[in-house]
Amino acid sequence: MEDARPGRVRGASGNGQGVRCDGDDCLVIGQREKLDFRPGDPFTIAVVYDGKAMDLGTFLAKGGGESKDRAYQFYVTPKNQGAIAFGVMRENPRTTGPAIAMFSCDGKIANVDLNGQENFSFEVGNGDSESDVLVGSRRENTDNTGVFYALRGDIAELLVYDRALSPFERKQLGRHFEVKYGLEQTYIGPNDAKAVVGLLGAPDGIGKLG
């Protein structure tokens, strides 16, 4: 059902609250200028989630139809972490259970980190889309209709930046998430705690879910 909103739950991905998607709900954000990333634009998507062995679906996406027609999508399959950047899709094996994943694009190269380690990187394409932005699903068709590949799992927090966070910034943010949600420590602690506060409150941080 389109825009049947996920419900809030306690204990999503460790401590604190989050949202639970059951594979039949999503949030349609619409066509927001701040999320309208076009080929060559930088961005970063960071998500804290609990992905069990059979869980799958989309965290955030803009576009439908074939992968070449989608502007961006960050998602999981039962076995892989996946990302699409301007029409180019890549996947690599993922872990199960609570995880911190980041999808950062500088306009030319996309990097996907999983629990503090680079999982994969790839050159982005020139694909574009006029579709709505969806949380927990993607558009099924290129004409901005239908929903497809809805998420089944928990999202504790979802952040979007309109720039590519540096590797050091991604580690800072990951360490913050570990402490906040009581997750296993895989990140190197930042040298300057004030930098984490500045990063979370940066004006280029577009939105937050969780």
Side-chain angles (χ1 to χ4, degrees):
M1 180 182 296
E2 183 168 323
D3 204 16
R5 300 194 175 199
R8 288 193 172 275
V9 295
R10 291 187 178 275
S13 302
N15 302 327
Q17 293 187 343
V19 294
R20 175 160 293 164
C21 301
D22 62 9
D24 193 33
D25 44 27
C26 69
L27 177 62
V28 179
I29 297 179
Q31 299 182 23
R32 302 290 182 90
E33 181 179 354
K34 289 186 176 182
L35 293 171
D36 187 24
F37 303 129
R38 301 288 177 159
D41 287 345
F43 64 85
T44 300
I45 302 168
V47 62
V48 184
Y49 71 96
D50 192 355
K52 299 179 178 61
M54 294 306 295
D55 285 348
L56 53 80
T58 302
F59 301 126
L60 185 73
K62 184 177 188 292
E66 297 182 26
S67 59
K68 66 180 180 63
D69 298 315
R70 298 176 226 159
Y72 59 86
Q73 182 179 358
F74 199 22
Y75 65 95
V76 288
T77 75
K79 294 183 178 180
N80 294 333
Q81 187 83 54
I84 294 174
F86 307 119
V88 176
M89 179 173 67
R90 292 290 185 274
E91 295 181 356
N92 210 43
R94 68 173 177 91
T95 58
T96 58
I100 299 168
M102 300 191 195
F103 175 19
S104 185
C105 174
D106 66 5
K108 297 180 179 180
I109 301 294
N111 294 279
V112 173
D113 298 342
L114 184 61
N115 294 328
Q117 303 296 320
E118 182 177 292
N119 195 11
F120 57 96
S121 63
F122 59 98
E123 292 186 7
V124 308
N126 293 301
D128 203 358
S129 173
E130 302 296 332
S131 293
D132 292 330
V133 176
L134 275 66
V135 175
S137 189
R138 69 166 175 84
R139 282 302 185 196
E140 183 175 10
N141 307 303
T142 56
D143 63 357
N144 202 28
T145 60
V147 292
F148 190 70
Y149 212 68
L151 181 65
R152 187 170 65 241
D154 295 345
I155 297 178
E157 191 162 341
L158 176 65
L159 294 175
V160 183
Y161 292 84
D162 60 359
R163 65 184 179 90
L165 297 185
S166 69
F168 182 64
E169 287 177 314
R170 297 199 300 271
K171 286 187 177 296
Q172 289 178 318
L173 185 57
R175 179 66 182 131
H176 164 77
F177 285 147
E178 285 180 336
V179 173
K180 181 176 181 178
Y181 294 103
L183 302 177
E184 180 181 355
Q185 296 186 7
T186 57
Y187 286 83
I188 299 173
N191 294 324
D192 185 358
K194 292 182 180 179
V196 177
V197 177
L199 179 61
L200 295 173
D204 47 16
I206 294 171
K208 173 181 176 180
L209 172 69

